[in-house]
């Protein structure tokens, strides 16, 4: 499991966002806008009904191409109850809570599914190349798990929502008419499962019978709701309808190829809507379709294709939509002659003006009248685009305003809320109440705090979300430039320190300047291991000037060789719009050289991948708009290769350093049927073009190149992080693809500079010939603790891996031999020849003298390095400005550096490199805490684990670390009661983590959040009421929101029939079973990189833990239903959860599980022995050498679960272990485990073995039977240890001094049949039985009933010093018995098992404080004739035998001891106190 926390660093200017697609979610009220750069903005509606406004919460980063479409889906199987809330227009009516995801598609073919709660990417996949370019996405009305995607093969993909959600540019409308009328336009329509993002059915594949694809919708038949069809329209309004198979999985299951068009049910309406005019937008509602033209709107029926009405506008409108309401009728019933319906329909133009019409149709008569209007805005229409959409009772206007008309264009979105009102104005029309216009927050203050420069010009209209209202905004010619053009970021990157931490953030500006802002990660780290920290340190910053155009690409490279005549080690390479490539000295900021190999703007700089051979390892590729790729050398400072001849700009370029090839993928969308993308392969060494691949094979080969580069990369990614190329551009690599790499587990070996005395800096370069007395320090790192990326210009992200931070760096003593030895040495050599990228001054550091050895210095330095990384991580991940007292402790005691000079925000990492980044406002970051329980769990787990790790590293900061852990455990929830509790399923997945700190943190958070986060199917009404009182605004999805459902369900259960003998209703059983077995709709799985198996197993663990620790808060039926899945999970030997399941089964065995599985315990014990035999047997030795997981599970089974099961069912356990002696091999580890289990039971709870003591001793003796030499040799030591423990715990078991005789007395038995068995330890046989019932005639002193009473028989035993006598004490009767037996007599009667009477009987007088009770009835009390004893005997008859045994075991006293103090004297003691000395 991975736990990664993301910190986002924003630049001083808000990002550009031109809206190309929108989608809305009713519950919670949410708006999503997709941009032309591939970004998606997540907007939330404020809860203030009086003044509603939208606030941008986060940016969803998963695409690098323009967003083609957004829609709402549900990546899970909808139940029958869920289907009742489905409507024909899913996008406009998604109020059902099960619709929990957003699906997005970009023109590059990437599909992403985003969670509605956390906003993280659940799944990210790319469509196969043969599908084409996605244009439209529509969700199935009755099956929201599936979406229909229309793809086309045209040069220009219309990035407009053809469902009347986005705008159409005027230039698109005036396109050549013939381009829309031509036949043979290729189109592909597929159905995709949103849970897996795989194609399950191909609806259409071929040339359309109409013109080019312009619009698509999924509609239901009026007669059969389950029958769906895809409606396709061109720009002239001609329709083509294709039916869809009811079984969406049919194509996948049958394995057939693409369906032929002759087999499809298809209807074509070739009639144009209007001659000579183009359709601008189209909207559907049921079987009604509206064609919006510039001056009118035509309404048609889909069933017949007939026109029923028309609305004339008189203005240049560009979009329209149907207004959904609770009383609207979705389907028009044309079969009823008197059928009548009314609908509201809205149209708008490019100025933002909108009119809402009321249309009706009755008896073939169509009428329309305007209801209300939304006035236009004052923004210049040629610098904006406008679209409308509906959210519940609101009509939203989304505008994209160009705030910088020069290249690069900067766009700003503005969302205005309009509420339908019933108020009338003077003209009699309905008016609309207008809400505030929302946009990005005011970052000017944050920007000035970073740069301290000139005040940014801004408009007072929309920069501040909290104060702006669109009604009062007046835009003039010069005031819509709200940002300073010179500060616009055109490219950015994070320079990642090799294997350690980020070094700096680099911004390329539109003005041509480059700004380098450095981190102070290791400032104060001295070589002697005593770091010194400065709280008020300033941030170092450099400005590189020289370019005359916008900076479009950046890359940083660390030299392996040296350039001629120049002394530099790290360089910065920049490409600009001025067509030049400049190389800078990153340390000094000086220009090294300027290259002019391109005649067009340079857009990409590609660095050599890992393991590239010299001299190519010091080269880079540059890609320009002139369709040329060049290879330049930093060592020679000249262009070495030119790769010209590409037909288009190569949008994707990768460099395979091992094979020596450069792959350039060029798009070739010419609009013709034979158009295809082209892949050019170039040989780096010769500069020759090796091959040109076209079509789908080009994409397949390009993905193959990317996969190979990723497998050989040290970082496990295609990019090496030190480049401005977004990782979202390159194809996604499947998880686990790098596992076959020779760098398995991503281990890296780094040679640090030699630590010498009087070292002033850690940067000192180690020369190649330096082989002095000191040895370079080798540090081992399994993964990069901090990964860096820049998904979009001006946005830098730092991803902190918790597992890597817990085991940051360890000194490596010996490098393993093997195939990867050469690669590791190569990396070490490259690093040793370069200097550290950090300028860390150790001016005030004390000198290192001979008082410390080099090894101690190195270990201290590594500890200091880890401590610095932890402090850096905490500084960027902590939620500042929430608790001032905690902030003060962190700054003063923990010595954290508050990153005030950065504009920080939080984030969440999704599938395959996708990111969810909040905006840099406290309210936006808290919104993620309030909506995502996954984010709360991961961020809290990270912070608490790091705080605990800091305590072990620095005891001086223990108080601050404890306060930090308490803040994320409890205090944050107290300050903000409406934040989500951490998700319990996610926390339990880290209970078996490798790090002890992570395990402790996960369990602590589980207990703190359990009462607030109990899953609804398990929650009892008591827990619901408790959550209501404790957290009125708490987690709605888990408990609070469903409180009514719990009450209704509970009431329903009272009327249902209960299952016999269990008290569980069928409804309750089915609900809990469904939750335990569910694996879909688990957003946290993609957060931690889990599988569907993790989802089910985590549910079982959560239910079991709650049943044990919080039984009053869960339903009483939970233990009965979860115990068997828990047992199966234990036997599954799962490396993630079996140990946890075994611990839970052991912990709750006596209190929770034993009543449920009492009769199944022996079978479970046998299964555990079988698993131990399989894991530990000879056949498993090879597997055990490769993985330590079976050994860990075996330890848990044998050391934790087995003793618990044995104590729950002692006779069953003894029966099983006795049978194992004969059913398993003599050298089987099962016998050792059985003995160790007995030892644990004897040490912890010896009383439960009292009545089975004879069986215990017999089993121990059986393992040392001399007739089985193999078993005796295997178990001898453990058997003797077990026998010692039994003798030590039970005073009625004794060994003579020579260990040749063993005596075992009855602990509990009938008074008249008590015996003592004597064993010979050499032959391991029973040699004598001693009668402990007393001399003849003694029992007559007791009442007749006493002869059958079960009581304590023998309380203590001891052999005489010479081994020829035996003394026994019985608490029942207070008697000491003495057997005086000579050695000759022992031998004569050794085989005679007739009970032998005692030689002497001594009555022990009652001592002070002794009183007979239900378990200690003395003969003296009967002789004296006490009435109480008579009453006791009468009451004893009424007590059952089982209850009597329980009472005797409970009151059993094992503290009696007999010791010889003389030749014929014994001392009786109890609890160490002497009771008397008796003469024999």
């Amino acid at each position: 499991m991975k736990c990664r926390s993301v910190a986002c660093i924003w630049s001083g200017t808000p990002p550009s966002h031109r809206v190309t697609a929108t989608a809305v979610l009713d519950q919670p009220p949410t708006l999503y806008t997709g941009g032309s750069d591939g970004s998606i903005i997540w907007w939330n509606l404020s809860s203030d009904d009086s003044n509603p406004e939208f606030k941008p919460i986060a940016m969803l980063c998963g695409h690098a191409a323009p967003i083609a479409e957004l829609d709402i889906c549900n990546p899970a199987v909808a139940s029958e109850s869920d289907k009742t809330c489905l409507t024909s227009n899913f996008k406009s009516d998604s109020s059902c809570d099960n619709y929990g995801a957003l699906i997005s598609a970009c023109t590059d073919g990437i599909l992403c599914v985003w969670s509605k709660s956390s906003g993280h990417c659940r799944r990210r996949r790319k469509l196969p190349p043969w599908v084409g370019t996605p244009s439209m996405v529509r969700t199935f009305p009755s099956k929201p798990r599936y979406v229909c995607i229309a793809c086309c093969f045209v040069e220009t993909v219309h990035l407009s929502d053809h469902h009347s959600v986005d705008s159409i540019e005027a230039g698109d409308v005036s396109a050549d008419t013939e381009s829309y009328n031509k036949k043979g336009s290729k189109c592909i329509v597929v159905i995709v499962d949103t849970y897996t993002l795989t194609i399950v059915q191909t609806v259409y594949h071929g040339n359309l019978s109409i013109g080019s694809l312009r619009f698509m919708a999924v509609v239901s038949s009026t007669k059969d709701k389950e029958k769906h069809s895809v409606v396709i329209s061109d720009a002239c309004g001609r329709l083509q309808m294709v039916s869809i198979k009811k079984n969406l999985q049919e194509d996948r299951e049958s394995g057939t190829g693409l369906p032929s068009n002759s087999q499809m049910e298809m209807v074509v309406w070739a009639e144009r809507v209007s001659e000579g005019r183009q359709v601008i937008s189209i909207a559907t509602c049921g079987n009604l379709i509206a064609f919006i033209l510039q001056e009118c709107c035509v309404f048609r029926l889909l069933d017949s294709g007939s026109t029923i009405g028309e609305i004339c506008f008189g203005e240049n409108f560009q979009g329209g939509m149907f207004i959904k309401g609770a009383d609207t009728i979705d389907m028009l019933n044309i079969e009823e002659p008197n059928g009548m319906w009314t609908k509201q329909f809205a149209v708008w133009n490019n100025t933002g003006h909108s009119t809402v019409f009321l249309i009706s149709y009755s008896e073939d008569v169509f009428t329309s009248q305007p209801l209300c209007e939304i006035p236009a805005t004052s923004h210049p229409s040629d610098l904006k685009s406008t679209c409308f959409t509906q959210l519940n009772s609101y009509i939203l206007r989304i505008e994209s305003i160009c705030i910088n008309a020069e290249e690069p264009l900067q766009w700003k979105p503005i969302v205005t809320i309009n509420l339908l009102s019933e108020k009338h104005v003077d003209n009699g029309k309905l008016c609309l109440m207008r809400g505030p216009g929302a946009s990005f927050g005011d970052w000017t203050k944050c920007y000035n705090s970073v740069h301290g420069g000139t005040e940014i010009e801004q408009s007072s209209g929309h920069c501040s979300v909290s104060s702006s209202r669109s009604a009062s905004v007046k835009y003039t010619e010069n005031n819509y430039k709200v940002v300073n053009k010179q500060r616009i970021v055109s490219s950015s990157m994070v320079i990642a320190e090799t294997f350690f931490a980020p070094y700096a953030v680099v911004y390329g500006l539109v003005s041509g300047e480059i700004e380098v802002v450095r981190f102070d990660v290791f400032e104060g780290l001295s070589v002697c291991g005593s770091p010194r920290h400065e709280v008020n340190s300033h941030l170092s910053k450099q400005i590189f000037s020289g370019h005359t155009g916008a900076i479009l690409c950046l890359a940083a490279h660390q030299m392996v060789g040296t350039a001629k005549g120049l002394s530099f080690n790290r360089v910065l390479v920049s490409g600009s719009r001025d067509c030049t490539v400049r190389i800078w000295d990153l340390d000094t900021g000086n220009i090294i050289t300027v290259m002019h190999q391109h005649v067009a703007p340079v857009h990409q700089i590609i660095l050599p991948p890992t393991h590239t051979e010299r001299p190519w390892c010091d080269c880079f590729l540059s890609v320009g708009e002139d369709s040329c790729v060049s290879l330049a050398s930093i060592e020679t400072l000249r262009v070495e290769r030119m790769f010209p001849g590409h037909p288009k700009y190569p949008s994707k370029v990768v460099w395979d350093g091992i094979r020596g090839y450069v792959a350039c993928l060029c798009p070739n969308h010419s609009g013709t049927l034979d158009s295809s993308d082209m892949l050019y392969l170039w040989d780096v060494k010769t500069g020759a073009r090796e091959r040109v691949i076209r079509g789908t094979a080009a994409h397949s080969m390009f993905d193959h190149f990317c996969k190979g580069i990723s497998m050989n990369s040290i970082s496990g990614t295609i990019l090496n992080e030190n480049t401005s190329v977004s990782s979202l551009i390159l194809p996604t690599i499947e998880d686990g693809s790098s596992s076959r790499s020779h760098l398995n587990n991503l281990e890296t070996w780094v040679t640090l500079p030699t630590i010498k005395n009087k070292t002033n800096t850690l940067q000192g370069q180690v020369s190649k010939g330096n082989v002095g007395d000191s040895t370079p320090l080798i540090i081992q790192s399994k993964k990069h603790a901090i990964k860096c990326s820049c998904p979009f210009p001006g946005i830098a992200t730092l991803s902190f891996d918790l597992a890597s931070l817990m085991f940051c760096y360890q000194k490596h003593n010996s490098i393993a031999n093997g195939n990867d030895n050469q690669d590791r040495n190569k990396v070490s050599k490259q690093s040793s020849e370069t200097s550290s990228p950090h300028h860390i001054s150790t001016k005030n550091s004390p000198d290192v003298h001979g008082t410390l050895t080099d090894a101690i210095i190195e270990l201290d330095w590594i500890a200091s390095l880890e401590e610095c990384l932890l402090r850096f991580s905490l500084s960027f991940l902590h939620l500042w400005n929430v608790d001032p007292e905690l902030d003060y402790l962190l700054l003063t005691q923990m010595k954290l550096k508050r990153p005030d000079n950065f504009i920080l925000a939080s984030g969440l990492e999704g599938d395959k490199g996708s990111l969810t980044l909040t905006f840099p406002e406290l309210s936006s970051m808290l919104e993620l805490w309030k909506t995502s329980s996954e984010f709360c769990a991961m961020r809290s787990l990270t912070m608490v684990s790091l705080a605990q790790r800091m305590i072990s590293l620095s005891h001086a900061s223990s108080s601050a670390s404890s306060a930090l852990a308490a803040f994320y455990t409890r205090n944050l929830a107290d300050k903000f009661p409406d934040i989500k509790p951490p998700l319990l399923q996610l926390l339990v997945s880290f209970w078996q983590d490798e790090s002890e700190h992570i395990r402790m943190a996960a369990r602590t958070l589980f207990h703190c959040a359990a009462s607030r986060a109990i899953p609804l199917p398990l929650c009892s009404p008591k827990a619901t009421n408790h959550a209501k009182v404790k957290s009125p605004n708490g987690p709605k999805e888990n408990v609070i929101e469903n409180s009514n459902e719990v009450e209704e369900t509970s009431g329903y259960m009272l009327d249902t029939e209960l299952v016999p003998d269990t008290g569980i209703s069928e409804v309750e059983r089915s609900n809990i079973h469904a939750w335990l077995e569910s694996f879909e709709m688990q957003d946290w799985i993609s957060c931690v990189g889990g599988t569907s198996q993790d989802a089910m197993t985590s549910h079982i663990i959560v239910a079991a833990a709650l049943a044990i620790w919080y039984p009053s808060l869960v339903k009483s039926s939970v233990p009965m239903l979860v115990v068997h899945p828990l047992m199966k999970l234990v036997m599954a030997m799962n490396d993630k959860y079996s140990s946890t399941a075994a611990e839970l089964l052991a912990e709750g065995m006596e209190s929770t599980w034993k009543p449920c599985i009492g009769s199944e315990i022996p079978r479970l014990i046998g299964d555990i022995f079988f698993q131990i035999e399989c894991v530990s047997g000879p056949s498993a030795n090879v597997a055990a050498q490769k993985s330590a997981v079976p050994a860990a599970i075996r330890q848990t089974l044998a050391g934790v679960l087995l003793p618990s099961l044995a104590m729950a069912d002692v006779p069953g356990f003894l029966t099983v272990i006795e049978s194992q002696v004969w059913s398993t091999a003599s050298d089987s580890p099962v016998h050792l485990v059985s003995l160790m289990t007995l030892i644990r039971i004897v040490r912890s709870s010896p009383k439960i073995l009292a009545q089975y003591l004879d069986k215990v001793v017999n089993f121990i003796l059986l393992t040392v039977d001399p007739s089985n030499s193999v078993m005796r040799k295997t178990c001898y030591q453990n058997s003797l240890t077990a026998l010692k423990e039994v003798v030590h715990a039970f005073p009625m078991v004794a060994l003579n001094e020579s260990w040749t005789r063993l005596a075992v007395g009855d602990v509990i038995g009938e008074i008249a049949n008590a015996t003592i068995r004597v064993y010979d330890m050499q032959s391991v046989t029973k040699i004598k039985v001693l009668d402990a019932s007393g001399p003849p005639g003694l029992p007559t002193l007791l009442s007749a009933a006493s002869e059958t009473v079960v009581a304590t028989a023998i309380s203590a035993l001891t052999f005489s010093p010479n081994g020829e006598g035996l003394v026994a004490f019985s608490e029942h009767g207070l008697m000491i018995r003495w057997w005086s037996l000579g050695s000759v007599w022992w031998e004569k009667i050794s085989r005679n098992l007739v009970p032998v009477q005692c030689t002497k009987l001594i009555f022990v007088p009652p001592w002070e404080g002794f009183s007979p009770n239900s378990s200690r009835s003395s003969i003296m009390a009967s002789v004296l004739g006490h009435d109480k004893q008579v009453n006791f005997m009468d009451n004893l008859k009424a007590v059952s035998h089982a209850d009597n045994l329980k009472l005797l075991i409970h009151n059993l006293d094992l503290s009696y001891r007999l010791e010889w103090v003389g030749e014929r004297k014994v001392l009786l003691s109890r609890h160490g106190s002497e009771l008397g000395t008796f003469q024999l």
Side-chain angles (χ1 to χ4, degrees), residues 500-671:
F500 287 120
Y503 167 51
V505 182
V506 183
Y507 296 106
L509 306 180
V510 173
S511 61
E513 292 183 343
I514 300 175
E515 186 177 279
V516 180
V517 185
R518 288 186 173 86
F519 298 104
D520 292 333
V521 182
F522 301 109
E523 182 175 350
L525 180 63
S526 65
V527 295
C528 63
S530 57
R532 52 183 181 85
H533 303 273
E534 301 176 5
V535 179
N536 298 321
S537 62
H538 66 279
L539 192 69
S540 58
K541 181 176 66 175
Q542 284 181 298
I543 301 295
F544 298 171
S545 300
H547 282 288
T548 59
I551 307 298
L552 302 181
C553 53
L554 295 164
H557 178 67
Q558 192 165 359
M559 290 288 293
V560 177
T562 58
K564 51 183 180 181
L566 297 174
S567 59
F568 60 87
N569 296 111
R570 287 167 316 181
V571 297
L572 179 68
V573 184
S574 59
S576 171
R577 191 172 291 277
D578 61 7
C579 309
T580 64
V581 175
R582 293 176 181 255
I583 302 177
W584 313 78
D585 188 343
L586 192 56
D587 296 329
T588 63
N590 298 327
I591 183 71
I592 297 176
T593 188
V594 181
M595 295 184 175
H596 301 273
Q597 64 265 36
H598 293 282
V599 294
V602 182
H603 282 274
Q604 296 182 52
I605 299 291
I606 293 95
L607 296 175
T610 310
H611 309 299
T612 302
E613 299 291 341
R614 294 195 65 177
W616 314 110
C617 56
D618 283 332
C619 297
F620 64 90
L621 295 174
S622 60
V623 186
E625 281 187 10
D626 54 3
S627 302
C628 186
V629 179
S630 70
L631 185 144
S633 173
I634 304 176
E635 184 175 354
T636 62
L637 299 180
R638 66 182 184 182
V639 178
E640 301 292 343
R641 299 286 187 273
M642 292 294 293
F643 308 115
H646 303 95
K648 298 287 185 179
Y649 163 70
S651 59
K652 298 177 182 179
V653 179
V654 293
W655 184 355
D656 191 336
I658 294 181
R659 287 178 283 193
Y661 284 95
V662 174
C664 305
L665 185 63
C666 304
N668 188 23
H669 298 312
S670 61

Side-chain angles (χ1 to χ4, degrees), residues 366-389:
F366 179 85
T367 59
S368 64
Q369 60 178 350
L371 283 181
C372 53
E373 295 183 355
I374 300 176
T377 58
S378 58
H379 312 313
S381 59
D382 57 340
L383 295 175
K384 72 172 184 178
S385 61
T386 307
C387 63
F388 285 77
T389 188

Side-chain angles (χ1 to χ4, degrees), residues 280-451:
I280 301 174
S281 180
I282 300 176
T284 60
C285 182
N287 64 335
L288 183 64
I289 184 171
F291 299 90
I292 297 93
L293 289 78
Q294 286 189 353
E295 299 177 354
C296 65
C297 179
V298 179
F299 296 90
R300 284 185 174 181
L301 296 178
L302 288 175
D303 289 343
S304 60
S306 59
T307 302
I308 63 173
E310 183 177 335
I311 300 177
C312 296
F313 310 133
E315 299 184 31
N316 293 327
F317 280 82
Q318 65 173 22
M321 66 177 178
F322 288 95
I323 305 297
K324 294 294 179 179
D327 55 347
T328 59
I329 303 175
D330 293 334
M331 298 300 299
L332 174 61
N333 193 348
I334 59 176
E335 297 180 356
E336 295 184 6
N338 297 325
M340 177 180 178
W341 56 263
T342 59
K343 291 184 180 297
Q344 294 182 8
F345 186 76
V347 292
W348 61 85
N349 59 15
N350 56 355
T351 64
H353 176 268
S354 178
T355 303
V356 179
F357 291 88
L358 179 65
I359 60 176
S360 62
Y361 184 76
S362 176
E363 298 180 354
D364 298 333
V365 177
F366 179 85
T367 59
S368 64
Q369 60 178 350
L371 283 181
C372 53
E373 295 183 355
I374 300 176
T377 58
S378 58
H379 312 313
S381 59
D382 57 340
L383 295 175
K384 72 172 184 178
S385 61
T386 307
C387 63
F388 285 77
T389 188
Q390 181 187 1
L391 176 61
N392 296 330
S393 59
Y394 300 107
I395 294 180
L396 308 180
R397 178 170 58 196
I398 301 102
E399 299 173 281
S400 299
I401 302 174
C402 182
I403 57 180
N404 178 33
E406 301 179 9
E407 290 291 337
L409 297 177
Q410 288 293 116
W411 295 84
K412 175 183 178 180
I414 297 178
V415 181
T416 307
I417 302 175
N418 301 277
L419 176 64
L420 289 170
S421 173
E422 297 298 330
K423 296 181 180 179
H424 292 270
V425 292
D426 297 336
N427 58 6
K429 295 181 180 180
L430 295 177
C431 68
L432 289 168
M433 296 175 56
R434 306 183 60 218
S439 184
F440 297 135
D442 185 6
W443 291 358
T444 306
K445 182 177 180 181
C446 297
Y447 174 82
N448 290 334
S449 66
V450 176
H451 299 276

Side-chain angles (χ1 to χ4, degrees), residues 499-502 521-522 785-786 800 804-805 808-809 863-875 946 950:
F499 315 120
F500 287 120
V521 182
F522 301 109
I786 306 174
F800 299 85
S804 301
L805 289 173
C808 287
Y809 304 100
S864 300
L865 170 65
E866 183 177 2
E867 192 174 338
C868 288
L869 288 176
L870 293 181
R871 284 192 169 92
F872 176 80
S873 304
L874 291 173
S875 299
L946 294 181
M950 280 297 299

Side-chain angles (χ1 to χ4, degrees), residues 1241-1458:
I1241 299 175
V1242 170
R1243 290 175 178 175
S1244 59
S1245 301
K1247 288 186 179 181
I1248 62 175
L1249 294 176
Q1251 63 182 123
Y1252 312 104
L1253 186 58
D1254 198 47
K1255 283 190 173 183
V1256 172
V1257 174
N1258 287 333
F1259 173 76
I1260 297 175
L1261 296 178
L1262 193 61
T1263 58
V1264 293
D1265 190 351
S1267 62
N1268 191 339
S1269 59
V1270 176
M1271 182 180 294
R1272 180 182 177 90
K1273 180 180 178 181
T1274 303
C1275 305
Y1276 188 75
Q1277 295 296 331
N1278 294 82
S1279 300
L1280 294 184
T1281 303
L1283 194 58
K1284 289 179 183 178
E1285 294 293 337
V1286 171
V1287 172
H1288 177 75
F1290 294 96
M1292 61 287 301
V1293 180
L1295 280 166
N1296 62 355
E1297 293 182 356
S1298 60
W1299 279 65
T1300 57
R1301 299 288 186 267
L1302 172 68
V1304 181
D1306 290 337
V1307 183
I1308 297 173
E1310 295 183 1
I1311 298 175
N1313 298 320
T1315 60
I1316 300 174
R1317 278 81 55 201
V1318 181
Y1319 297 88
D1320 180 25
M1321 292 297 295
Q1322 295 180 354
S1323 60
V1324 194
T1325 55
K1326 186 189 300 183
I1327 59 175
K1328 198 60 187 172
V1329 177
L1330 306 181
D1331 186 1
S1333 61
L1338 181 63
T1340 59
L1341 298 175
L1342 299 176
S1343 57
S1346 64
E1347 296 182 2
T1348 59
V1349 170
V1350 177
T1352 304
I1354 306 298
S1355 300
L1357 277 178
T1358 183
F1359 278 95
S1360 61
N1362 57 7
E1364 297 181 358
L1366 187 67
V1367 179
F1369 168 73
S1370 299
E1371 184 190 35
H1372 183 85
L1374 296 179
M1375 294 179 292
I1376 293 180
R1377 297 177 175 86
W1378 158 248
W1379 287 269
S1380 179
L1381 307 173
S1383 58
V1384 178
W1385 186 84
W1386 280 100
E1387 296 296 334
K1388 287 183 179 180
I1389 62 173
S1390 59
R1391 296 185 180 182
N1392 187 2
L1393 298 181
V1394 177
V1396 178
Q1397 297 292 335
C1398 62
T1399 306
K1400 187 175 183 179
L1401 178 65
I1402 303 174
F1403 289 99
V1404 178
W1407 52 88
E1408 182 179 358
F1410 175 81
S1411 59
N1413 50 35
S1414 59
S1415 64
R1416 304 186 184 103
S1417 56
S1418 67
I1419 298 178
M1420 298 305 297
S1422 177
V1423 173
L1424 296 176
H1426 289 172
D1427 296 334
K1428 292 183 179 181
Q1429 181 66 16
V1430 177
N1431 295 334
F1432 161 73
M1433 300 306 300
D1434 293 338
N1435 295 334
L1436 196 61
K1437 297 177 181 179
V1439 179
S1440 64
H1441 179 75
D1443 294 338
N1444 189 24
L1445 281 177
K1446 291 181 181 179
L1447 191 60
L1448 286 173
I1449 294 173
H1450 177 74
N1451 294 320
L1452 182 63
D1453 194 343
L1454 298 178
S1455 63
Y1456 289 103
R1457 293 293 184 271
L1458 285 172

Side-chain angles (χ1 to χ4, degrees), residues 1079-1112:
F1079 60 92
E1080 295 183 343
M1081 288 297 293
Q1082 301 300 316
D1083 292 345
W1084 68 270
I1085 295 178
S1086 56
C1087 291
V1088 299
T1091 61
S1092 58
Q1093 182 185 14
D1094 296 320
M1096 290 185 288
T1097 51
S1098 64
H1099 282 183
I1100 297 172
I1101 296 297
V1102 169
L1106 293 175
I1108 296 172
W1109 298 326
Y1110 304 95
S1112 62

